Amino acid sequence: MVQLSELGDVTEYLNEDFKNEVYLITEDRSVKCSGLILAARSSVIKEIIRDSENIPAIEFSDDVPGLFGCLRLLYGGKVDICGDNYRSIFKFGKIFQVQEMTDAVTRWVAEDIPLNVFWKVFTDLTK
């Protein structure tokens, strides 16, 4: 099980100008999220929110279950990294610069997968 560290100081987001609504969009779903939580986890998302005139809609071209695993982590929940979700978690972490997410997948690759699967996973993550 993996869990991200606690959110740091979020007082900079508690003003009227900061948009506290963000939509993460996949191919077939739109998920309303807290801008405060996502901005506190990702400097990339923070800039997207600050630069948006309207409620930001951020596209994440991945499957819905993968996105929900990422959101569970971002909101402070625990996720078992496995063959079904490692790509989504790693991809989200890379795109939105959430280092803890990419580090968690890297640790999983190094410590928890069988050696005969290691090379396939490693090459998949470096594409």
Side-chain angles (χ1 to χ4, degrees):
M1 285 287 211
V2 171
Q3 186 174 23
L4 302 182
S5 62
E6 291 184 19
L7 286 176
D9 183 15
V10 294
T11 54
E12 72 175 289
Y13 309 110
L14 300 176
N15 65 56
E16 315 172 353
D17 298 333
F18 192 81
K19 298 165 204 75
N20 195 30
E21 254 178 33
V22 176
Y23 285 91
L24 289 179
I25 301 170
T26 65
E27 292 177 4
D28 58 350
R29 187 111 183 237
S30 175
V31 181
K32 185 177 177 180
C33 302
S34 164
L36 183 141
I37 290 174
L38 297 185
R41 294 282 188 200
S42 165
S43 60
V44 171
I45 293 176
K46 178 169 69 173
E47 290 307 311
I48 291 171
I49 293 170
R50 284 205 170 131
D51 293 345
S52 296
E53 291 181 21
N54 300 313
I55 296 172
I58 301 169
E59 291 186 35
F60 182 59
S61 60
D62 217 336
D63 61 354
V64 173
L67 175 62
F68 285 153
C70 294
L71 289 174
R72 189 173 296 115
L73 278 172
L74 292 168
Y75 276 79
K78 294 180 181 180
V79 172
D80 253 337
I81 296 178
C82 63
D84 294 334
N85 65 13
Y86 76 91
R87 285 181 194 91
S88 297
I89 294 170
F90 191 82
K91 182 177 175 182
F92 193 99
K94 278 297 233 193
I95 292 170
F96 299 110
Q97 297 179 2
V98 183
Q99 189 67 41
E100 284 185 272
M101 291 174 87
T102 56
D103 289 349
V105 173
T106 303
R107 271 192 311 281
W108 173 77
V109 169
E111 298 170 4
D112 295 336
I113 63 170
L115 199 51
N116 63 335
V117 180
F118 175 79
W119 187 249
K120 179 189 176 306
V121 171
F122 178 76
T123 54
D124 185 43
L125 291 176
T126 55
K127 287 182 184 177

